[in-house]
């Protein structure tokens, strides 16, 4: 859980009873789930395994491309060597950004970083795969705890949770006094403006 009940109590300047602390935990978990659903990605780092089948249509550079390496001495070309590249094969992973890669296997054989693949923020560039290979990647995805978005997401959750806590308190007092508190109920969850403010971190989906 990104935000703890103690942090919410400090932010809202409240002292929670045991029952209120349980309610705060449910609110915080629900708000984090709501934000992750809108972002289409996990906020806290999670370890997952993706398995991808390399199909010919998505294989990147074909074998007919030609690169040339030449060595020139004066005006004389000493050698002309055609090179026929195969890759790289770009493999986007599901839960980005990528924090760390645990292992990469091609057809069950471990691949080496810097030789067989290069890690990017969105996935991998693979240099030693062929058509119809199966690539299995175990990695940690999600926003790292030290990055700026985490602090921003915590603030959004604290704002929304404090509104819900205050609304619950007003309802309880109103019921005890058998009248309303003449307070306009706060909108539960996040406002449109709050969600719009974190749109830059929303995972894009192709349809």
């Amino acid at each position: 859980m990104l935000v703890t009940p103690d942090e919410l109590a400090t932010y809202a300047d409240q002292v929670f009873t045991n029952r209120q602390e349980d309610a705060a935990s449910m609110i915080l978990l629900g708000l984090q789930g709501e934000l992750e659903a809108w972002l289409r990605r996990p906020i806290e780092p999670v370890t997952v395994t993706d398995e991808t089948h390399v199909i010919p249509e998505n294989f990147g550079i074909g074998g007919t491309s030609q690169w040339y390496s030449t060595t020139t001495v004066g005006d004389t070309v000493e050698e002309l060597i055609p090179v026929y590249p195969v890759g790289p094969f770009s493999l986007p992973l599901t839960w980005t950004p990528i924090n760390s890669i645990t292992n990469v296997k091609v057809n069950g054989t471990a691949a080496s970083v810097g030789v067989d693949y290069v890690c990017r923020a969105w996935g991998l560039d693979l240099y030693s795969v062929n058509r119809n290979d199966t690539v299995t990647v175990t990695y940690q995805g999600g926003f790292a705890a030290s990055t700026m978005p985490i602090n921003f997401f915590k603030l959004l959750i604290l704002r929304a949770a404090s509104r819900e806590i205050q609304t619950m308190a007003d309802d309880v007092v109103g019921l005890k006094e058998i009248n309303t508190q003449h307070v306009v109920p706060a909108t539960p969850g996040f406002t449109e403006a709050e969600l719009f403010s974190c749109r830059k971190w929303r995972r894009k989906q192709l349809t």
Side-chain angles (χ1 to χ4, degrees):
M1 188 161 54
L2 188 63
V3 180
T4 65
D6 287 341
E7 289 175 319
L8 176 58
T10 301
Y11 179 84
D13 194 18
Q14 299 280 344
V15 178
F16 292 151
T17 63
N18 291 337
R19 184 178 293 273
Q20 288 173 332
E21 188 170 333
D22 292 340
S25 296
M26 290 188 289
I27 291 172
L28 292 170
L29 284 172
L31 288 171
Q32 181 171 333
E34 181 182 347
L35 185 57
E36 288 178 333
W38 191 86
L39 292 171
R40 302 190 184 115
R41 68 176 77 213
I43 295 175
E44 295 183 286
V46 293
T47 300
V48 293
T49 299
D50 281 1
E51 184 174 287
T52 303
H53 186 68
V54 182
I55 57 177
E57 289 78 4
N58 294 339
F59 193 70
I61 302 174
T64 57
S65 299
Q66 297 185 11
W67 293 350
Y68 294 96
S69 175
T70 62
T71 301
T72 304
V73 179
D75 296 329
T76 304
V77 177
E78 297 290 335
E79 59 180 345
L80 181 63
I81 304 174
V83 180
Y84 300 90
V86 177
F89 172 69
S90 296
L91 176 61
L93 297 176
T94 305
W95 300 120
T96 58
I98 309 303
N99 294 327
S100 62
I101 300 291
T102 303
N103 63 66
V104 178
K105 294 183 179 181
V106 180
N107 297 329
T109 302
S112 299
V113 61
V115 177
D116 300 316
Y117 70 91
V118 175
C119 182
R120 310 293 185 190
W122 47 264
L124 301 177
D125 278 341
L126 295 160
Y127 295 91
S128 301
V129 294
N130 296 303
R131 292 171 174 85
N132 300 316
D133 282 349
T134 299
V135 181
T136 305
V137 184
T138 301
Y139 63 99
Q140 186 188 74
F143 294 97
S146 59
T147 58
M148 186 274 287
I150 286 293
N151 296 327
F152 182 63
F153 297 152
K154 288 183 68 171
L155 181 59
L156 290 182
I157 292 174
L158 284 169
R159 287 173 178 170
S162 63
R163 289 197 298 268
E164 297 206 16
I165 289 293
Q166 186 60 50
T167 299
M168 290 170 56
D170 291 340
D171 290 343
V172 170
V173 173
L175 288 173
K176 287 181 178 179
E177 296 180 356
I178 318 180
N179 58 44
T180 64
Q181 291 297 296
H182 305 291
V183 176
V184 178
T187 303
F190 299 99
T191 65
E192 291 185 8
E194 288 171 339
L195 293 175
F196 189 75
S197 66
C198 58
R199 67 192 183 281
K200 65 179 292 185
W201 295 288
R202 195 180 192 193
R203 184 169 178 261
K204 304 299 187 295
Q205 285 186 329
L206 298 179
T207 57

